[in-house]
Amino acid sequence: DGGITQSPKYLFRKEGQNVTLSCEQNLNHDAMYWYRQDPGQGLRLIYYSQIVNDFQKGDIAEGYSVSREKKESFPLTVTSAQKNPTAFYLCASSVTGNTEAFFGQGTRLTVV
Amino acid sequence: QKEVEQDPGPLSVPEGAIVSLNCTYSNSAFQYFMWYRQYSRKGPELLMYTYSSGNKEDGRFTAQVDKSSKYISLFIRDSQPSDSATYLCAMTNTGNQFYFGTGTSLTVIP
């Protein structure tokens, strides 16, 4: 089955730690996205990538980093510089030039 | 002004009712419009995708786009308890970045 896989489903982070959220897709999509979802605020774009080895900051990139070494993979690192990281993180992908975005099942990150 | 405005609800309807969900937007360059359904603690699931103005029907779901009014709608006929979820509208002009509404929470009461 084609789709987007995010792991882990739940993640707990201690203060001062960096954590990495995984996102893998087998849809052969060129574009991949990371969103953060908080109650009442909708989806906010963190980073996006249109091609391998290239990515752009979204609206709330501070405290986050990404890499795009392979077309299938777009991991997100939440660094200790992100002061309020507790949120639901969603990865999405789309075919560049064709505009439906498809989402993974999300990772719930909690700071403990 | 936000790019996309969506009434958060909550909206509560009896089973079998027709549901109308709406979004307005400010950027006239948007050409592609999507509706997603999101169950609690799950990722959004694409329901409908339309290009430019007009209607699109898929089973019990109908999406309408009125670009002249910058207004899009999703209608759900014969609503079921399984339709209880949050519905997100989204739109874009290039696919490089998507703009989402904040979501409308819907409950269908048996």
Side-chain angles (χ1 to χ4, degrees):
Chain A
D1 284 335
I4 302 172
T5 301
Q6 289 187 242
S7 61
K9 189 173 181 179
Y10 299 98
L11 186 57
F12 297 90
R13 190 193 96 168
K14 293 183 179 179
E15 295 280 355
Q17 277 187 337
N18 293 353
V19 291
T20 298
L21 284 59
S22 171
C23 179
E24 303 277 335
Q25 55 99 358
N26 60 5
L27 300 169
N28 200 33
H29 287 175
D30 287 313
M32 297 187 74
Y33 313 82
W34 274 106
Y35 291 91
R36 170 177 171 148
Q37 188 174 35
D38 297 281
Q41 295 199 47
L43 275 68
R44 291 185 289 169
L45 181 65
I46 304 172
Y47 271 97
Y48 66 101
S49 168
Q50 298 291 328
I51 57 173
V52 174
N53 292 322
D54 187 49
F55 47 83
Q56 286 77 43
K57 293 181 179 180
D59 301 320
I60 56 165
E62 186 176 351
Y64 300 98
S65 66
V66 294
S67 63
R68 187 86 187 276
E69 297 177 0
K70 298 187 300 181
K71 186 176 183 178
E72 301 79 18
S73 179
F74 192 40
L76 173 74
T77 296
V78 184
T79 74
S80 56
Q82 172 49 241
K83 297 307 178 187
N84 185 23
T86 294
F88 190 49
Y89 290 87
L90 289 162
C91 178
S93 71
S94 68
V95 177
T96 303
N98 186 350
T99 56
E100 303 112 305
F102 296 90
F103 284 86
Q105 289 302 297
T107 294
R108 175 72 186 178
L109 173 63
T110 304
V111 173
V112 295
Chain B
Q1 184 186 9
K2 287 184 179 179
E3 297 269 7
V4 180
E5 298 278 358
Q6 183 176 10
D7 186 340
L11 185 61
S12 183
V13 301
E15 183 175 354
I18 296 174
V19 177
S20 173
L21 304 167
N22 311 294
C23 289
T24 59
Y25 62 94
S26 57
N27 188 344
S28 59
F30 289 147
Q31 297 186 71
Y32 304 92
F33 304 90
M34 289 141 279
W35 283 96
Y36 292 87
R37 177 175 63 196
Q38 185 177 22
Y39 293 113
S40 181
R41 301 187 188 90
K42 301 289 187 184
E45 170 194 9
L46 180 67
L47 279 178
M48 301 288 283
Y49 161 64
T50 54
Y51 169 71
S52 194
S53 285
N55 294 358
K56 184 175 182 178
E57 187 173 321
D58 184 1
R60 297 185 295 112
F61 298 92
T62 299
Q64 287 187 351
V65 175
D66 182 349
K67 290 191 69 179
S68 62
S69 301
K70 298 191 183 71
Y71 188 88
I72 69 170
S73 300
L74 177 72
F75 297 95
I76 307 174
R77 292 183 297 280
D78 187 25
S79 56
Q80 302 295 309
S82 59
D83 295 328
S84 298
T86 296
Y87 290 81
L88 301 165
C89 64
M91 48 201 76
T92 184
N93 55 343
T94 64
N96 288 335
Q97 186 166 156
F98 297 87
Y99 296 86
F100 289 86
T102 53
T104 299
S105 175
L106 171 68
T107 300
V108 180
I109 303 168

